[in-house]
Amino acid sequence: LNAIASSLRSREVTSIDEMRRCLESLPQEVYDRGYAERWSEALVDLLEEKGVLTKAEVLQRIKQMRGAQASPS
């Protein structure tokens, strides 16, 4: 997760200030979750806001990756 956020910052897709804003604007019930969940939600929100990916696209990709892991090689 940190590598993804760092990569996006180094490519100037996002900034630390934008990420902080997204983290701080999460609903309290999401903000109270664990670190990884909180950062994942904020990162997806930011990518969606910038038109990079939608939450649906992210969820679809996760589903594809899980299916690939479950399939025998």
Side-chain angles (χ1 to χ4, degrees):
L1 189 55
N2 286 333
I4 294 169
S6 179
S7 178
L8 291 167
R9 282 193 309 272
S10 72
R11 289 172 173 75
E12 299 181 357
V13 175
T14 65
S15 72
I16 193 70
D17 293 327
E18 291 172 319
M19 191 65 191
R20 182 182 311 115
R21 178 185 50 77
C22 283
L23 283 162
E24 292 172 351
S25 67
L26 289 171
Q28 191 65 46
E29 65 273 5
V30 176
Y31 192 85
D32 289 342
R33 295 178 188 165
Y35 174 87
E37 274 191 85
R38 182 172 53 240
W39 274 74
S40 296
E41 287 288 337
L43 186 56
V44 170
D45 289 348
L46 184 54
L47 291 174
E48 191 164 40
E49 176 183 300
K50 291 181 155 285
V52 176
L53 290 169
T54 66
K55 190 168 193 168
E57 290 170 325
V58 172
L59 293 173
Q60 179 61 34
R61 182 65 181 131
I62 290 169
K63 185 178 176 182
Q64 290 170 348
M65 291 169 62
R66 286 183 177 156
Q69 288 176 346
S71 299
S73 297

